[in-house]
């Protein structure tokens, strides 16, 4: 189990990487087009390699049981977020309401969560994080997309079926269940690419945050959302895990991923479907900034309770 010192050290590293992304963007080195290329590279290659690599551990009954527990917990969290978003932001104006509902359903558990979980809990933790993301990705392309537009069933299924991260989960499961040995050159390539996930993903987040006007984004509504996303949801998750007697590693992964900030796709979809893209960027910035404090706090709380 990790110590608070390792969590704080990891958060400092993430903050420094974000600053690098912001500085590179301010200087014009990392442009919007360059960020799009990095995002496509991350989603289509680096993240799938990272997911497959996370499954390359010795299979045991305990691992299978824990994976199922994570899957069920993640599904429960997504249902809670979907229903909660419909009620908790009913008073907001339409443009902001779309953003807040989507950002409640879709956290940054992939871009930001995976490197944090890997840094804290290692490869086994990353395996459970990959399983946790399955329900999140389903809700992202169904309930999440419907916040901005009417998502059709066939479109949802097509996006899920061909999403590279979903394919990576199935490939990872195949190698874990069969025990087939991957040739050394391929395995080393997989691991080199997997190791790029943390710096590339956090640089992208830093680049997104570089375009946000800090003076206009710290509103009561944004802080209200951040409190729900970063504290209320993970605390409910922690309470449920403790009541069910969930193993510590499964609890740790589930709680921390439940407490991730707004997903970076929030601003992208808001801009595409006439939501409030500026406000969406503000939600990403505020919740990401505050998560540098709340994530270590959650880690401490799990060790106390």
């Amino acid at each position: 189990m990790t110590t608070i010192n390792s969590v704080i050290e990891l958060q400092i590293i993430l903050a420094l990487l974000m600053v690098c992304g912001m500085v590179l963007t301010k200087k014009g080195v990392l442009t919007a087009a360059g960020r799009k290329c990095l995002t496509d590279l991350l989603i289509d290659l680096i993240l799938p390699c990272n997911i497959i690599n996370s499954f390359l551990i010795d299979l045991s009954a305990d691992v299978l049981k824990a994976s199922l527990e994570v899957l069920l917990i993640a599904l429960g969290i997504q249902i809670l977020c979907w229903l909660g978003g419909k009620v908790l932001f009913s008073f907001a104006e339409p443009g902001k309401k779309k953003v807040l509902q989507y950002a409640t359903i879709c956290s940054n558990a992939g871009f930001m969560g995976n490197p944090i979980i890997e840094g804290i809990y290692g490869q086994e933790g990353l395996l459970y994080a990959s399983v946790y993301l399955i329900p999140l990705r389903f809700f992202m392309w169904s309930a999440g997309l419907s916040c901005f537009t009417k998502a059709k069933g066939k479109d949802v299924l097509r996006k899920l079926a061909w999403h590279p991260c979903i394919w990576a989960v199935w490939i990872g499961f195949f190698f874990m269940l069969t025990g087939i040995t991957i040739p050394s050159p391929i395995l080393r390539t997989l691991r080199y690419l997997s190791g790029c996930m943390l710096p590339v993903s956090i640089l992208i987040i830093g680049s997104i945050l570089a375009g946000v006007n800090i003076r206009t984004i710290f509103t009561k509504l944004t802080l209200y959302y951040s409190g729900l996303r970063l504290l209320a949801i993970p605390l409910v998750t922690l309470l449920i895990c403790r009541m069910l007697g969930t193993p510590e590693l499964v609890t740790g992964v589930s709680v921390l991923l439940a407490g991730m900030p707004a997903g970076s796709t929030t601003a992208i979809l808001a801009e595409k479907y006439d939501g409030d893209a500026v406000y969406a960027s503000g939600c990403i910035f505020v919740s990401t900034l505050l998560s540098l404090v709340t994530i270590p706090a959650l880690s401490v709380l799990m060790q106390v309770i």
Side-chain angles (χ1 to χ4, degrees):
M1 197 67 174
T2 183
T3 64
I4 183 58
N5 289 336
S6 63
V7 178
I8 292 174
E9 182 179 353
L10 180 60
Q11 291 298 87
I12 292 172
I13 293 170
L14 295 177
L16 291 174
L17 286 169
M18 283 185 200
V19 170
C20 289
M22 295 175 74
V23 171
L24 289 173
T25 301
K26 292 290 187 181
K27 287 184 171 293
V29 177
L30 185 54
T31 62
R35 184 171 68 236
K36 184 182 183 304
C37 289
L38 280 179
T39 301
D40 291 342
L41 178 66
L42 183 72
I43 293 175
D44 294 338
L45 180 62
I46 295 174
L47 188 52
C49 288
N50 186 268
I51 291 171
I52 294 172
N53 185 60
S54 71
F55 280 86
L56 302 181
I57 64 174
D58 293 332
L59 179 63
S60 68
D62 289 340
V63 169
L64 284 176
K65 180 184 176 184
S67 297
L68 179 59
E69 289 177 334
V70 170
L71 185 66
L72 293 175
I73 291 170
L75 180 60
I77 292 169
Q78 291 305 132
I79 293 173
L80 175 67
C81 292
W82 170 51
L83 295 175
K86 290 179 174 294
V87 177
L88 297 171
F89 306 110
S90 57
F91 58 88
E93 59 186 76
K96 290 183 172 64
K97 182 179 178 180
K98 293 178 182 179
V99 168
L100 293 166
Q101 288 180 327
Y102 179 89
T104 303
I105 295 170
C106 303
S107 71
N108 222 351
F111 274 15
M112 190 172 180
N114 271 12
I116 287 177
I117 294 300
E118 185 178 23
I120 296 174
Y121 296 111
Q123 193 172 355
E124 187 176 356
L126 184 58
L127 164 64
Y128 299 145
S130 301
V131 174
Y132 179 98
L133 291 174
I134 296 174
L136 188 149
R137 296 196 188 284
F138 178 82
F139 274 79
M140 176 186 294
W141 296 117
S142 54
L145 191 58
S146 69
C147 294
F148 294 105
T149 185
K150 296 298 181 182
K152 298 180 180 179
K154 290 183 178 179
D155 292 337
V156 171
L157 292 176
R158 185 170 61 250
K159 286 178 179 294
L160 285 171
W162 293 104
H163 196 288
C165 292
I166 297 297
W167 274 94
V169 170
W170 302 135
I171 293 171
F173 265 124
F174 171 78
F175 283 108
M176 185 176 72
L177 293 172
T178 61
I180 294 175
T181 302
I182 300 177
S184 180
I186 297 177
L187 181 61
R188 293 182 67 181
T189 301
L190 194 69
R191 286 177 174 167
Y192 284 142
L193 288 169
S194 175
C196 298
M197 190 185 72
L198 189 148
V200 173
S201 61
I202 305 305
L203 281 173
I204 291 171
I205 293 173
S207 178
I208 292 172
L209 299 182
V212 177
N213 186 347
I214 299 177
R215 290 175 295 181
T216 63
I217 60 175
F218 282 92
T219 65
K220 290 182 179 179
L221 185 57
T222 307
L223 292 173
Y224 169 64
Y225 160 75
S226 297
L228 292 172
R229 175 73 264 175
L230 301 176
L231 292 175
I233 295 172
L235 287 176
V236 169
T237 304
L238 176 58
L239 178 62
I240 293 173
C241 287
R242 289 289 185 251
M243 290 173 62
L244 296 176
T246 308
E248 285 299 318
L249 179 55
V250 173
T251 298
V253 170
S254 300
V255 171
L256 291 184
L257 290 181
M260 287 296 129
S264 53
T265 54
T266 307
I268 297 171
L269 291 180
E271 185 172 0
K272 183 175 181 179
Y273 294 112
D274 299 322
D276 192 333
V278 174
Y279 183 72
S281 298
C283 287
I284 294 171
F285 181 89
V286 173
S287 60
T288 301
L289 182 65
L290 294 177
S291 73
L292 299 178
V293 176
T294 59
I295 290 174
L298 288 171
S299 298
V300 173
L301 186 62
M302 282 188 287
Q303 295 180 29
V304 173
I305 297 179

